[in-house]
Amino acid sequence: MLNDIYDLNTDCDFFGELTSRGPDAHSKFGQVLKEAGYSEEAEILLLGAITSCSKQLCYKMYSKPLGFCLIINNVEFDNLEDRIGSDVDAEALEYLFRKIGYIVECERNMTADNMLARLIKFRDENEWASVDSCVLIILSYGDNVNNLDIIYGTDSLWITKTEIYRIFANINCEDLQYKPKMFFFKACRVDGGGHEVYVTESTDAVKKVVCPSLSNLLVVHSSFPDHVPHRNELCGTWFCHDLVQVLNSNFLTQDLETMLKTVTQKLKNRLSRKQRKQVLHIV
């Protein structure tokens, strides 16, 4: 069956041709195969759709597991209201990234110092050389202090997002240097140029190459600066609900950029009882 529609021994770009037929072509074709009784073949082809990168600029995402994912979920605070509903988000996100193929580590209720220590441990104790990507998710309160985005620990002290980025900078984690690092922040955000560093080109190379201190980094904020994201005590946040729903339904057939655009559109279509809306900020 597979050989009839896709010759794996040639340069035939079957999936590239499907893409030219529209953004839903892969999923629709897979559904047709399933309805015809070729469920196993459909899964193989759909997996091929996201790993066929011969004519596209994309990251290699073949490793098993795909990478390591850390979720920090701060719910109960010393001097702030509890973030009721955040556990719903954390459980849904853990399920999602395990399903996608990540090893997921979860932490709940961490002080500012403990968050920094846990992030460093996450960086230092995992075998990044053996995987293709990194995911970090932080669910907490946030703020903007002196034009710095901050994340609160449960002790109501805070760390800056800049501190988080530096932990995963190329000079501090060479095994992640050319790999995608995806950071998702669910936190409020109310209230210069890059540097060059020297890193080794490979473990056994003497030659040095100049790279930016931060690269291959995708940062997704649940809202723009000076805006507050929405959270429901029973259902969790709009952001996490839509993110999980979209990625869970489309991760086999769509790239992350396309899925995040869908999440953005879904958020734009929401309206709170106070006639307020929410938009993702992707950096």
Side-chain angles (χ1 to χ4, degrees), residues 10-280:
T10 72
D11 293 329
C12 174
D13 189 3
F14 175 76
F15 297 113
E17 176 64 23
L18 265 183
T19 300
S20 69
R21 304 304 174 92
D24 298 324
H26 290 124
S27 57
K28 289 180 179 179
F29 182 70
Q31 186 61 37
V32 169
L33 287 179
K34 290 181 180 180
E35 291 175 356
Y38 295 102
S39 297
E40 183 177 350
E41 288 81 358
E43 293 297 331
I44 294 173
L45 286 169
L46 290 176
L47 282 171
I50 60 171
T51 56
S52 177
C53 300
S54 58
K55 295 184 179 180
Q56 304 178 47
L57 293 175
C58 60
Y59 291 104
K60 178 176 74 72
M61 296 287 279
Y62 304 138
S63 66
K64 293 184 179 181
L66 277 178
F68 299 101
C69 170
L70 173 63
I71 300 174
I72 296 178
N73 176 32
N74 288 337
V75 180
E76 300 165 354
F77 294 79
D78 292 345
N79 300 310
L80 297 169
E81 292 184 2
D82 291 350
R83 297 183 58 255
I84 301 174
S86 189
D87 286 331
V88 176
D89 291 338
E91 291 172 6
L93 289 163
E94 179 184 0
Y95 168 81
L96 171 69
F97 281 95
R98 288 191 192 279
K99 179 178 179 179
I100 292 175
Y102 285 85
I103 293 178
V104 181
E105 306 170 24
C106 299
E107 298 289 350
R108 191 176 187 272
N109 292 336
M110 305 197 79
T111 65
D113 285 344
N114 286 343
M115 281 196 293
L116 280 179
R118 185 64 179 88
L119 290 168
I120 293 172
K121 180 180 179 181
F122 177 64
R123 178 198 67 192
D124 292 345
E125 294 190 359
N126 284 311
E127 294 293 333
W128 298 108
S130 65
V131 299
D132 289 335
S133 61
C134 165
V135 175
L136 171 65
I137 302 170
I138 298 182
L139 314 174
S140 189
Y141 281 123
D143 207 335
N144 187 282
V145 177
N146 297 325
N147 293 321
L148 289 175
D149 272 344
I150 66 169
I151 300 289
Y152 282 107
T154 55
D155 54 357
S156 300
L157 300 178
W158 45 264
I159 62 175
T160 68
K161 290 179 182 176
T162 300
E163 290 177 286
I164 297 172
Y165 304 150
R166 286 173 179 165
I167 289 173
F168 296 91
N170 290 326
I171 195 172
N172 294 323
C173 192
E174 292 186 14
D175 286 335
L176 274 175
Q177 181 179 338
Y178 298 109
K179 300 175 182 180
K181 296 168 282 290
M182 295 161 278
F183 295 173
F184 298 86
F185 295 108
K186 165 56 198 71
C188 302
R189 305 178 71 195
V190 292
D191 185 77
H195 301 279
E196 291 183 339
V197 297
Y198 285 94
V199 296
T200 56
E201 190 174 38
S202 63
T203 55
D204 56 354
V206 177
K207 181 181 177 181
K208 301 286 186 176
V209 294
V210 178
C211 296
S213 58
L214 293 169
S215 62
N216 307 99
L217 182 66
L218 172 72
V219 181
V220 181
H221 304 278
S222 58
S223 64
F224 271 80
D226 300 321
H227 288 75
V228 178
H230 297 280
R231 171 168 49 89
N232 182 282
E233 293 185 355
L234 296 178
C235 303
T237 60
W238 289 359
F239 165 59
C240 291
H241 178 274
D242 290 346
L243 180 70
V244 169
Q245 184 182 64
V246 171
L247 266 63
N248 187 50
S249 300
N250 301 287
F251 75 89
L252 284 176
T253 59
Q254 294 182 0
D255 59 81
L256 183 57
E257 180 182 3
T258 300
M259 290 187 286
L260 288 176
K261 287 179 179 178
T262 303
V263 174
T264 298
Q265 188 58 51
K266 288 176 72 69
L267 281 173
K268 285 181 179 179
N269 293 335
R270 287 181 177 269
L271 188 66
S272 72
R273 293 179 180 177
K274 295 183 179 180
Q275 303 298 300
R276 294 175 179 173
K277 301 182 77 68
Q278 180 179 338
V279 180
L280 288 187

